[in-house]
Amino acid sequence: MKVIICGAGQVGWQIARHLANERNDVTVVDNNADLVRRATDALDVQGVAGFASYPDILERAGARDADMIIAATHSDEVNMVTCQVAHSVFEVPRKIARLRSQSYLDAIYSDLYRRDHMPIEVVISPEREVADAALKRLSAAATFDTEFFLDGKLQLIGITLDEDCPVVNTPLRQLSDLFSTLRAVVVGVRREGTLFAPEPGDQLFVGDDCYVMVNTEDFSRALEIFGKQQQKQERVVLIGGGNVGRMVAQKLEDLPGRAIRAKMIERDRKIAERSAEALERTIVLNGDGLDASLLQEAGATRADAVLAVTDDDKTNILGAVRAKSMGCKLAVALINDPTLVPLMTPLGIDAYINPRATTVSSILRHIRHGRVRDVYSLGDAEAEIIEAEVLSTSPIAGKQIRDIDFPEGVLIGGIKQGDQIIKPNGGTRVNEGDVIALFSLSQDVGQVESLLQVSIDYF
C-alpha cells in the first residue's frame, strides 16, 4: 500500500516506522528538512521537504496514486487543508487527520467532515485519547498500563513486581500449575530496559515490568497473585487545566454511578477561569501545581490519585513526585519524552501516560481495518498487541499453538471462540473465525502479518 505521512514529528515518525517495517511504500512530508532527513536516514521511506498542504508538494510525494494520507502535522488547519487537497485534487481514497482544537471536535459540528464538505474519514484527537488513557489508569490503579481487547473480555495489564510479590523467582510454567484456574498469560517482560516475550522456563524477578493478558473476570485475582491490590478512586487532584486536564475532569464528572470529588490546579488564570466555566462539579484552583501549600489545599495528602497532565514533562514529573511524597496513593504523570520513562520507577511515580503512544495506537487501529481489529502500541513502540480474526487461508488455522512457527517475540494472550475467551496453551487449536489477541515485538510484526494472512484485505 502507498501511504503519505504528513508531519515527521514524534507521531509521524513512529507511524512511518511501523508501516515501513511492514513493507509498505511510505513517503514522509514535512517543512522541516532535518526531520525529513532523519526519517529517510533511519527508515526505509522516501521524503519530501515542504508544506504538506501545497498541491505541488503532495504531487511530488506521489498523491496521484496514493492509497492513504495521514495528516499529523502540528497544525490542525494544515492537516484539514491537506486532506481537502488530497481529496479534491488527487482523489486519495482514505484520509486521516490529527486534530487538537476542541472546537473542531465538538459533536454539533461533526457534519463538517462529510465527504461533500471537508472529507476526512478518520479524525484523531490526542487529547481525547490521553483522557481515555487516564481514566483507564484510574480504573486499574495498581497497574502502569492497561487496555481492553476481545470485546472488552480480555484485559492487558502492566504490573511492576515488588519484593512482596508472591510469584517472584517462579518459572512461568510453574505459575500455570499453581494457579491453574487463573485465565492469565504473561506475554511480555521488560527487564533492565529490554522488552522480550518470555518462555515457559523464564522466571520473574523483582523490578520486572510484566505485561499480562487476563480475562476481565479474573482481573482482581490476578492483581492479588502479582502482589497488588485494587483501590477505589474517589478523590482525584489534577495538575493542569488545559485541554487534557479539562477533558479528564469532564469525563470524571460524566462517569455513571460514581461520585468522584475532583480538584484542579492551573497556573494560568485565564485557562483556570475557562476550565471553571466548563466544569460543573470540579473545583478549580489558580496557582502553581508544584506549590506544596496549594497541593495540600487541593487535598493531595488525602487524594486517591494525582494526575499531572500539564504540557511540560518536567512539571508533571515533579508534581507527581511531590504529591507522592505528601502521601498521595497514586501518582500519574503525562510524559511526552520517552527517554524520561525509565525515571518513573526510581522516582516513585506509579504510572505514566505517553500521548505519542496513545495517538500512534489510535491511528494504527484505524489503518488496519480489515481482519486486524485492534492495535495497541507498548512502550516506545517496542511492541504491539494485535487483535485479529483468523482467516481460512491463514497458515495457523486448524493448527495447535505448539505447531505454529511463531517468531520468538510473539505470544498469544487470548482467543475468542464464539462467546468464550480461551486461555491458550500449547495444545489449544486455533480455528478459522477465531479472534486472537497476541503480543508481538515490533520487528516481528511483518511475520505476524504473514501468519495471519491479512494482506488480502489488510487495509
Side-chain angles (χ1 to χ4, degrees):
M1 184 177 71
K2 187 169 185 176
V3 184
I4 299 174
I5 299 174
C6 302
Q10 294 181 344
V11 169
W13 195 89
Q14 290 293 355
I15 293 295
R17 188 174 83 170
H18 279 274
L19 296 183
N21 286 344
E22 293 156 21
R23 302 183 301 279
N24 293 287
D25 182 355
V26 178
T27 301
V28 174
V29 178
D30 199 290
N31 65 335
N32 187 325
D34 291 336
L35 291 180
V36 173
R37 193 177 304 109
R38 183 192 69 155
T40 55
D41 288 347
L43 307 172
D44 184 16
V45 301
Q46 301 175 69
V48 174
F51 287 93
S53 57
Y54 290 3
D56 62 317
I57 296 297
L58 288 181
E59 174 112 51
R60 286 173 52 198
R64 290 208 179 273
D65 59 350
D67 300 295
M68 177 183 295
I69 191 162
I70 301 170
T73 75
H74 292 295
S75 168
D76 288 356
E77 289 72 24
V78 169
N79 293 339
M80 295 167 79
V81 172
T82 298
C83 289
Q84 182 69 69
V85 172
H87 172 78
S88 301
V89 179
F90 301 108
E91 299 182 347
V92 177
R94 189 164 174 80
K95 298 157 290 291
I96 297 176
R98 179 177 67 170
L99 302 181
R100 309 193 72 155
S101 173
Q102 296 311 296
S103 181
Y104 289 136
L105 300 168
D106 197 310
I108 64 174
Y109 305 126
S110 58
D111 278 356
L112 176 63
Y113 308 110
R114 278 171 32 191
R115 190 170 184 82
D116 53 345
H117 291 163
M118 184 168 290
I120 303 174
E121 281 75 28
V122 178
V123 172
I124 304 293
S125 165
E127 282 76 12
R128 285 183 178 176
E129 298 294 333
V130 168
D132 288 340
L135 291 188
K136 289 173 183 175
R137 297 294 184 277
L138 292 178
S139 69
T143 71
F144 64 81
D145 199 355
T146 187
E147 185 57 70
F148 291 90
F149 299 91
L150 303 183
D151 299 326
K153 296 180 180 180
L154 189 71
Q155 185 171 1
L156 170 76
I157 54 176
I159 301 174
T160 300
L161 302 189
D162 302 320
E163 292 183 359
D164 57 353
C165 174
V167 297
V168 163
N169 301 327
T170 304
L172 291 179
R173 67 162 57 90
Q174 189 175 343
L175 188 64
S176 299
D177 295 337
L178 290 171
F179 307 101
S180 57
T181 60
L182 178 69
R183 293 166 294 181
V185 179
V186 179
V187 293
V189 176
R190 181 180 287 104
R191 181 175 299 154
E192 297 179 353
T194 300
L195 182 63
F196 62 93
E199 297 182 356
D202 287 339
Q203 294 177 288
L204 301 177
F205 301 119
V206 172
D208 283 353
D209 288 340
C210 296
Y211 289 98
V212 185
M213 300 289 280
V214 57
N215 190 300
T216 51
E217 295 177 354
D218 292 352
F219 171 69
S220 297
R221 185 178 172 218
L223 286 183
E224 292 178 5
I225 288 173
F226 284 91
K228 304 292 182 180
Q229 290 184 343
Q230 181 66 333
Q231 302 167 344
K232 288 186 177 181
Q233 310 301 317
E234 297 177 344
R235 292 169 294 190
V236 177
V237 176
L238 296 167
I239 300 175
N243 287 338
V244 173
R246 189 159 56 246
M247 192 164 289
V248 172
Q250 186 66 64
K251 286 181 177 290
L252 289 174
E253 290 186 351
D254 294 341
L255 284 176
R258 294 183 63 181
I260 294 179
R261 291 172 284 178
K263 293 184 179 179
M264 175 187 290
I265 302 174
E266 170 53 47
R267 187 171 188 171
D268 187 293
R269 185 172 185 82
K270 289 184 179 179
I271 295 177
E273 291 174 349
R274 196 178 306 138
S275 293
E277 291 175 2
L279 300 168
E280 295 181 6
R281 298 190 303 275
T282 304
I283 297 172
V284 181
L285 305 175
N286 178 218
D288 188 350
L290 300 181
D291 186 293
S293 60
L294 190 57
L295 279 169
Q296 188 161 6
E297 181 183 346
T301 56
R302 305 181 308 279
D304 297 309
V306 170
L307 275 68
V309 290
T310 75
D311 58 2
D312 182 74
D313 286 357
K314 296 179 180 62
T315 297
N316 294 337
I317 290 174
L318 291 174
V321 169
R322 171 149 280 182
K324 196 70 177 178
S325 69
M326 295 174 67
C328 167
K329 298 174 185 175
L330 173 73
V332 181
L334 183 68
I335 302 297
N336 285 281
D337 184 353
T339 64
L340 296 175
V341 170
L343 299 176
M344 298 299 102
T345 299
L347 291 174
I349 298 174
D350 300 289
Y352 67 92
I353 303 168
N354 185 337
R356 182 181 69 183
T358 59
T359 304
V360 168
S361 292
S362 182
I363 291 175
L364 289 174
R365 188 177 303 128
H366 289 290
I367 289 174
R368 295 172 179 159
H369 68 278
R371 298 300 183 176
V372 173
R373 309 196 327 178
D374 202 352
V375 176
Y376 186 67
S377 180
L378 299 181
D380 186 20
E382 303 157 271
E384 294 180 13
I385 303 294
I386 300 172
E387 178 182 317
E389 182 181 344
V390 178
L391 299 175
S392 60
T393 54
S394 168
I396 71 175
K399 287 187 177 180
Q400 292 182 330
I401 290 178
R402 65 167 62 95
D403 298 326
I404 300 173
D405 188 22
F406 280 125
E408 290 185 3
V410 175
L411 284 175
I412 295 181
I415 304 175
K416 184 172 183 284
Q417 296 182 338
D419 293 328
Q420 286 191 320
I421 305 299
I422 308 297
K423 174 187 173 181
N425 57 52
T428 303
R429 189 176 300 279
V430 180
N431 301 312
E432 174 191 352
D434 287 354
V435 181
I436 63 174
L438 56 80
F439 168 96
S440 174
L441 294 175
S442 294
Q443 64 264 26
D444 297 319
V445 169
Q447 293 185 60
V448 170
E449 174 188 347
S450 299
L451 287 171
L452 293 174
Q453 284 287 305
V454 295
S455 55
I456 298 170
D457 59 353
Y458 194 54
F459 295 98

